[in-house]
Amino acid sequence: MKAFVSYSRRDNSLGRLLSIESQIGSVTELYIDDLHFPRGVDRHTSVLRALMEAESFIAVLSSNYLHTPWTLFEARQACVRGIPVFAFSESGELFKTRYEDLSTCCKNRVLGLPHAGPVYEAIA
């Protein structure tokens, strides 16, 4: 299964992206823009292609996630396509969620609140 990883560059260093890749990359094939876009190819085209080929969407939660035009665009595309949406927390937890609930996920992450409620299902 191919998964598109969406994140705010303001909040995620290359080291953080490599850590995410090592944590969940063995479970599914990931596309992480800063790690996987082919050199010599237009970045915009590469991101759009990977997003359209993705079978699932992973939002890396952070304080700037919902304030970045690109991440909002990516999340909306996942919603329009109807692919499964997951949230990845700073503690390394991966939760199934819905596009509509990403705002709540980000607020909980920023406020340090637990991910709770019927929307979130921990996945293995």
Side-chain angles (χ1 to χ4, degrees), residues 52-108:
M52 292 305 120
E53 292 175 356
E55 298 164 287
S56 63
F57 181 86
I58 301 170
V60 178
L61 304 181
S62 68
S63 57
N64 286 303
Y65 186 82
L66 293 176
H67 303 290
T68 306
W70 264 106
T71 55
L72 291 174
F73 170 78
E74 292 166 353
R76 284 186 191 116
Q77 290 303 308
C79 177
V80 167
R81 292 193 53 230
I83 60 177
V85 175
F86 297 89
F88 187 82
S89 71
E90 284 188 342
S91 63
E93 297 172 282
L94 188 63
F95 295 92
K96 186 169 183 170
T97 189
R98 301 178 307 187
Y99 168 77
E100 297 84 3
D101 296 313
L102 283 177
S103 176
T104 301
C105 288
C106 285
K107 285 180 191 172
N108 285 350

Side-chain angles (χ1 to χ4, degrees), residues 11 18 46 48 89 95 98:
D11 302 320
L18 289 168
S46 177
L48 290 177
S89 71
F95 295 92
R98 301 178 307 187

Side-chain angles (χ1 to χ4, degrees), residues 2-34:
K2 293 181 180 182
F4 183 92
V5 179
S6 176
Y7 58 93
S8 169
R9 281 196 180 102
R10 292 180 206 153
D11 302 320
N12 293 282
S13 65
L14 185 58
R16 171 83 170 131
L17 298 176
L18 289 168
S19 176
I20 291 168
E21 181 180 48
S22 72
Q23 289 174 353
I24 56 177
S26 62
V27 177
T28 187
E29 181 183 340
L30 300 178
Y31 177 85
I32 301 174
D33 178 37
D34 283 337

